[in-house]
Amino acid sequence: MKGTLMDFDMQKNLTLPVLPLRGLVVFPKSLIHFDVGRKKSITAINKAMKADQLVFLTSQKDAAMNDPDIFDVYNTGVIAKVVQVLKQPENTTRIVIEGQCRATIINPVFDEKCLVAEVKPYEEETEYYTARDSALMRTVKNEFDKYLEISPKMPSDIIFKVALCKRPGELADFITANLILDYRVKQSILETFPESERLEAVLDVLVNENFVLKLEDEISQKAKMRIDENQRDYFLREQKRAIEEELGEDDSPIDDAENYADKIDKLNLDEKSADILYKECRKLSKMPYGSQEAAVIRTYLDTVFDLPWNKSSKDKIVIPKVQKALDKTHYGLDKVKKRIIEQLAVRVLSEKQKGQIICLAGPPGVGKTSIAQSIAKAIGRKSERIALGGVRDEAEIRGHRKTYIGSMPGRIINALQHAGTNNPVLILDEIDKLAADYKGDPTSALLEVLDIEQNNKFVDHYIELPFDLSNVMFITTANDISTIPAPLRDRMEIIEISSYTREEKFHIAKKHLIPKQLEECGFTSKELKFTQKAVYALIDFYTREAGVRTLERLIASVMRKCAVVKLTEGTEIFKIDEKEIERLLGHKKFIPDSLAKTDEIGIVNGLAWTSVGGEILPIEVAVMEGTGKLELTGSLGDVMQESAKAAVTCIRSHASALGIDSDFYKNKDIHIHAPEGAVPKDGPSAGITMATAIYSALTLKPVRHDVAMTGEITLRGNILPIGGLKEKSMAAFKNGITTVIIPKDNEPDLEDVDKTVFDKVKFIPVRNFSEAVAIAVNNTVRITDNQWNGIDMSAVRSASKTANIVKQ
């Protein structure tokens, strides 16, 4: 018959598909069925059915492994025949197999789709059995009879089949296959090839199992003797107590439950919350000491009692002292300090005022997190930072249900545990980096947390009790508020923190960064000094950032190099000037923008905002004889390209007023270029700059090199407001610009401009292109509003005279 032992030579090795089993050991002559769900296992079965229906069965060393390879299974297994294959729902297959003979893996065979190995069959040797073997078989059968008497019921045909076993190996295999044992014990018996030794191993297992079953029965009987017929409801508790006495465990869950009940009374919770905790205590008192569910309840109650339900830190709010403390730790950030002082002042006057949730928004490195920590320290509260970057699971905020394995509270409750008070300052860092996936949306989970009207009864999924978060001061930080969902953004008061100006970086370095690094590097202020020019050199030529992180790293780098010199050459005093900076850090990494020193045709200084501050953005325009083509280069984004087209249309529609040939769009090619072509650029604020450069190139009139401008232009030539005026003005000042043309609507934003910049740079607000071009382009007469809007004054005067005649 195909697939039986008669079909292959027991002396030759076979190459068979390997089917790894989890917690299951198959013996020769066993007929069993089980489900197969793994892709490689199903492939192995299909491969066997296409050949001789033979497959090699062996157990995994680690039953929890989902994708084992040939080295993760035992070498010894069983060659089996696949008798039947049945397709089951949910991509599983049920198979019926019949064990044939033992076999051992000789060599693995590479196959991408399933496990394959070369195996060597093992044939049971027919030998003469001694009297000792016969006695051993009788002993094993007697022990198996005792096992059947005290073990759970087994099929009646097992006793009959045991009696039919004539060989020691056959008897050992059959009994082991029908015992309820750990798969590792069964595997050790499968790996025992001599029949007598195998039967002795089975005898040892049977004797041990019978002893354990008998001990379990005695414990059960002892528990039954302690109870009365009228106290049957206490049966489980008495049985548990008997087991604990046998194991020598003196601790009682009843005592634990009573201790927990006392702690609940001291918490002074509302009636509903207290009832939930008392219910958990009652469950605990009825459970065995070592049960898994009892451990879950203990962990839950311990977590609840660790929460600061009634523990608050006393605020030390003295407004002048808080103001002084914030000024000492942070230079600048006036908006943030002012807003915090206002909230604290109201809190002193009225304890009912809970305050708004504050969101500090700005580029990296400007001190958002550190100012929040300083606020907590200044008012005497504890602070906890919760990093939200990359959090995708809602359970990270609200916690996991305690019924799940490994469940725990969410980050909000966990932070309160660490703080030890119910009114700390919680810093939700990088709130704009939250993401959503199939596990939920954590931003939605924060809606209740950051709503002062709802968070007085915040419920964590693990705690399942309302906790009051209204006393917590929440401060969030973000780099890009546009990525925060609107409902969440609506719950926060946004305070924009712009990038530091050159002067602010200088003062921060002198007052904070250098003293901090002197202490960390082991220098005193007398041993190592930075000149003003050295600090400015670090800012201008070695950093290009919004904050001061890179600046601090460079200061630390200079000090480390000085430390090496001190220990190797014995130098005691270091004076760091501009030349010393270049010697220690190498050549300058950033060269200042090279602006034209004279007025030129077709070149206009624009102003751009970047995440690391303002920049000068020159716009170049070249006009050539051609067919009216418009060429745009310099890695311009879609919005900037549209601004260029709008600028051309504006010039074309006002050609007569500007004194330009109205057919230039037919016989001239215009090329607009923004230097540093590898750097992407986008935004509408270069519209006025492009229009001025086009006008200069068409009229051959030079543009003033000491003038810079910014503003969005419309087709009618109106100048619309832009953002980032503070940073753009600093860039103009740093590059020697004396006059900056800005939109008229941005005039109120001049209040935010640095005082040093405002005193040195002249800002001229304009409403339309005609006003801007009269200032920036040499030899240009001021165009009147009537001329700019296309009104023919001669026609108006003529019509006026006619009207007078008619009137007469």
Side-chain angles (χ1 to χ4, degrees):
M1 183 177 66
K2 184 179 180 182
T4 64
L5 289 176
M6 301 301 294
D7 290 331
F8 61 88
D9 190 350
M10 296 291 289
Q11 304 301 321
K12 293 183 179 180
N13 297 342
L14 301 175
T15 300
L16 299 175
V18 178
L19 183 63
L21 304 177
R22 287 204 240 199
L24 178 65
V25 179
V26 179
F27 286 82
K29 297 187 178 181
S30 296
L31 184 66
I32 64 172
H33 63 83
F34 54 88
D35 292 339
V36 178
R38 290 183 288 195
K39 186 176 180 180
K40 287 187 177 181
S41 299
I42 294 175
T43 303
I45 295 299
N46 293 334
K47 188 170 185 176
M49 295 303 293
K50 292 178 181 179
D52 51 5
Q53 297 180 247
L54 295 180
V55 66
F56 181 71
L57 303 178
T58 181
S59 296
Q60 296 179 196
K61 296 177 183 178
D62 183 4
M65 186 173 292
N66 288 325
D67 188 18
D69 58 25
I70 200 67
F71 302 102
D72 297 323
V73 298
Y74 291 102
N75 286 337
T76 302
V78 171
I79 296 175
K81 175 190 174 185
V82 181
V83 178
Q84 190 177 20
V85 178
L86 298 173
K87 297 293 183 180
Q88 298 290 322
E90 298 180 359
N91 297 325
T92 60
T93 301
R94 175 163 294 182
I95 63 171
V96 180
I97 61 100
E98 181 180 9
Q100 303 290 306
C101 68
R102 282 177 170 79
T104 305
I105 295 176
I106 304 301
N107 290 311
V109 177
F110 175 77
D111 193 319
E112 292 182 351
K113 297 182 179 180
C114 66
L115 301 183
V116 180
E118 182 183 356
V119 299
K120 178 178 177 59
Y122 175 81
E123 185 178 11
E124 298 282 357
E125 297 180 1
T126 304
E127 59 182 20
Y128 176 78
Y129 300 115
T130 64
R132 184 180 181 282
D133 293 331
S134 300
L136 185 60
M137 292 179 66
R138 289 185 181 182
T139 306
V140 169
K141 290 180 179 179
N142 291 334
E143 285 295 328
F144 187 68
D145 290 338
K146 294 178 183 178
Y147 176 86
L148 295 177
E149 290 177 2
I150 56 179
S151 68
K153 292 184 179 180
M154 286 193 175
S156 58
D157 61 336
I158 289 181
I159 302 174
F160 175 76
K161 290 181 180 179
V162 167
L164 295 178
C165 294
K166 302 300 182 183
R167 294 167 50 192
E170 182 183 5
L171 179 63
D173 290 346
F174 183 79
I175 290 178
T176 307
N178 288 280
L179 287 178
I180 303 174
L181 299 173
D182 186 83
Y183 74 96
R184 287 179 284 265
V185 177
K186 290 189 176 185
Q187 180 66 30
S188 65
I189 295 175
L190 182 67
E191 293 175 352
T192 305
F193 288 90
E195 295 187 47
S196 298
E197 294 180 13
R198 196 188 313 159
L199 195 58
E200 289 179 357
V202 173
L203 179 59
D204 292 340
V205 171
L206 274 172
V207 171
N208 182 67
E209 283 295 306
N210 288 338
F211 177 79
V212 172
L213 289 173
K214 186 177 179 182
L215 184 61
E216 288 180 356
D217 186 65
E218 289 177 359
I219 293 172
S220 178
Q221 292 297 328
K222 193 178 292 185
K224 290 178 182 178
M225 292 174 60
R226 289 182 181 172
I227 63 175
D228 195 342
E229 290 184 358
N230 296 328
Q231 297 175 328
R232 296 186 62 83
D233 52 335
Y234 294 103
F235 170 77
L236 294 177
R237 184 179 299 175
E238 292 297 324
Q239 187 179 40
K240 171 200 63 182
R241 184 174 298 172
I243 294 173
E244 290 171 354
E245 289 180 2
E246 290 291 336
L247 296 175
E249 295 177 350
D250 298 328
D251 295 335
S252 172
I254 299 177
D255 297 335
D256 285 349
E258 292 175 354
N259 293 333
Y260 283 132
D262 293 338
K263 292 181 179 179
I264 296 171
D265 294 335
K266 295 177 182 178
L267 288 180
N268 296 323
L269 299 176
D270 60 276
E271 184 178 352
K272 186 176 181 180
S273 299
D275 288 342
I276 293 174
L277 297 180
Y278 284 132
K279 184 178 179 180
E280 295 295 325
C281 290
R282 288 192 291 271
K283 287 182 185 178
L284 180 64
S285 65
K286 298 177 181 180
M287 290 181 180
Y289 182 82
S291 72
Q292 184 177 356
E293 190 172 353
V296 171
I297 294 176
R298 285 188 180 88
T299 303
Y300 167 72
L301 292 174
D302 290 338
T303 304
V304 171
F305 296 135
D306 284 344
L307 286 176
W309 295 94
N310 304 306
K311 296 179 183 178
S312 302
S313 58
K314 190 174 181 181
D315 290 342
K316 301 175 183 178
I317 303 176
V318 180
I319 299 301
K321 290 184 178 180
V322 174
Q323 180 75 59
K324 186 177 180 181
L326 294 179
D327 290 339
K328 184 179 179 181
T329 55
H330 287 78
Y331 181 86
L333 301 178
D334 295 329
K335 283 186 178 179
V336 182
K337 295 176 184 177
K338 184 178 179 181
R339 175 64 182 84
I340 294 299
I341 292 298
E342 290 171 356
Q343 180 167 335
L344 295 179
V346 174
R347 187 64 182 264
V348 171
L349 297 177
S350 174
E351 294 184 357
K352 295 181 179 180
Q353 207 278 337
K354 301 300 181 182
Q356 182 71 22
I357 311 299
I358 295 174
C359 177
L360 306 179
V366 295
K368 300 185 295 296
T369 304
S370 60
I371 187 66
Q373 293 171 337
S374 297
I375 291 167
K377 187 176 180 181
I379 63 177
R381 290 194 186 187
K382 293 186 177 180
S383 65
E384 288 292 328
R385 174 179 171 270
I386 302 175
L388 298 179
V391 172
R392 296 176 176 271
D393 191 354
E394 177 196 359
E396 292 282 342
I397 306 298
R398 279 192 169 275
H400 307 75
R401 300 287 182 188
K402 66 175 182 289
T403 53
Y404 298 142
I405 296 175
S407 59
M408 61 183 70
R411 296 195 180 196
I412 303 296
I413 294 297
N414 194 41
L416 291 170
Q417 279 184 299
H418 290 169
T421 62
N422 61 11
N423 62 339
V425 175
L426 292 190
I427 305 166
L428 305 182
D429 216 1
E430 309 291 354
I431 196 170
D432 57 324
K433 305 299 189 301
L434 288 170
D437 64 1
Y438 67 95
K439 295 180 181 177
D441 186 0
T443 57
S444 300
L446 280 175
L447 293 177
E448 180 184 1
V449 175
L450 299 182
D451 192 334
I452 57 177
E453 301 297 332
Q454 302 178 29
N455 63 6
N456 60 333
K457 291 184 179 181
F458 172 71
V459 178
D460 185 274
H461 288 161
Y462 182 83
I463 303 299
E464 294 182 336
L465 300 175
F467 193 93
D468 187 2
L469 298 179
S470 60
N471 294 319
V472 178
M473 179 183 288
F474 289 99
I475 299 178
T476 67
T477 70
N479 298 132
D480 183 8
I481 61 174
S482 64
T483 61
I484 304 175
L488 185 59
R489 189 168 63 246
D490 183 62
R491 283 164 166 77
M492 302 182 291
E493 180 178 349
I494 309 295
I495 298 180
E496 295 279 357
I497 302 179
S498 58
S499 58
Y500 289 124
T501 63
R502 181 172 181 259
E503 291 300 316
E504 287 174 334
K505 291 180 181 180
F506 173 77
H507 289 291
I508 291 171
K510 294 290 287 185
K511 293 183 179 181
H512 301 287
L513 304 183
I514 293 177
K516 176 184 175 182
Q517 292 302 322
L518 284 174
E519 183 179 354
E520 292 186 1
C521 294
F523 286 102
T524 64
S525 57
K526 295 181 180 179
E527 293 175 331
L528 192 149
K529 293 183 178 180
F530 281 83
T531 65
Q532 288 191 8
K533 289 186 177 180
V535 178
Y536 279 123
L538 287 174
I539 296 170
D540 295 337
F541 306 129
Y542 293 89
T543 64
R544 190 65 60 90
E545 58 178 343
V548 291
R549 283 181 183 152
T550 305
L551 179 59
E552 184 176 7
R553 283 195 289 267
L554 290 174
I555 292 171
S557 176
V558 170
M559 292 187 183
R560 288 196 298 269
K561 296 178 188 301
C562 292
V564 174
V565 173
K566 180 178 180 179
L567 296 179
T568 55
E569 301 178 9
T571 306
E572 294 293 334
I573 303 298
F574 295 90
K575 183 180 180 181
I576 309 300
D577 55 16
E578 193 171 2
K579 292 183 179 179
E580 193 70 5
I581 288 291
E582 191 164 356
R583 187 184 70 82
L584 293 173
L585 298 181
H587 64 86
K588 297 176 181 179
K589 304 299 187 295
F590 301 100
I591 306 300
D593 297 326
S594 56
L595 301 181
K597 302 300 181 183
T598 59
D599 299 348
E600 295 187 29
I601 297 172
I603 299 180
V604 184
N605 296 321
L607 295 173
W609 180 92
T610 68
S611 61
V612 296
E615 295 287 343
I616 291 289
L617 180 63
I619 298 295
E620 300 177 352
V621 173
V623 176
M624 302 147 288
E625 294 296 330
T627 58
K629 295 180 181 178
L630 177 63
E631 188 75 23
L632 304 173
T633 57
S635 297
L636 306 185
D638 293 339
V639 176
M640 203 165 181
Q641 291 183 28
E642 291 174 357
S643 293
K645 295 174 183 177
V648 172
T649 303
C650 174
I651 299 294
R652 182 181 168 188
S653 62
H654 297 86
S656 59
L658 294 170
I660 299 173
D661 180 11
S662 59
D663 292 332
F664 76 88
Y665 69 95
K666 297 179 181 179
N667 50 33
K668 303 289 184 182
D669 287 347
I670 300 176
H671 188 158
I672 303 176
H673 177 67
E676 295 189 36
V679 180
K681 311 167 189 71
D682 205 359
S685 63
I688 179 64
T689 312
M690 293 179 176
T692 305
I694 295 170
Y695 170 78
S696 172
L698 288 172
T699 59
L700 301 179
K701 294 180 179 181
V703 181
R704 290 172 54 187
H705 69 281
D706 60 343
V707 171
M709 59 185 67
T710 179
E712 179 181 353
I713 195 166
T714 68
L715 297 179
R716 300 178 63 83
N718 296 325
I719 309 300
L720 302 183
I722 45 82
L725 182 60
K726 179 183 177 182
E727 290 79 6
K728 292 178 179 179
S729 65
M730 178 56 69
F733 170 72
K734 187 171 65 175
N735 287 275
I737 299 296
T738 60
T739 303
V740 175
I741 298 173
I742 63 173
K744 183 70 175 178
D745 292 339
N746 280 114
E747 196 170 4
D749 296 332
L750 292 175
E751 295 180 2
D752 299 329
V753 174
D754 187 86
K755 188 177 184 303
T756 304
V757 177
F758 191 78
D759 293 340
K760 299 291 184 180
V761 178
K762 182 180 180 181
F763 294 89
I764 303 178
V766 297
R767 293 173 298 172
N768 54 44
F769 174 69
S770 65
E771 296 179 10
V773 78
I775 299 168
V777 181
N778 290 328
N779 302 321
T780 299
V781 179
R782 171 74 166 87
I783 303 170
T784 66
D785 290 342
N786 291 328
Q787 291 173 322
W788 181 251
N789 294 323
I791 301 175
D792 188 348
M793 293 304 297
S794 61
V796 172
R797 284 191 292 270
S798 175
S800 177
K801 291 179 180 179
T802 304
N804 291 332
I805 294 172
V806 172
K807 186 177 181 182
Q808 291 174 357

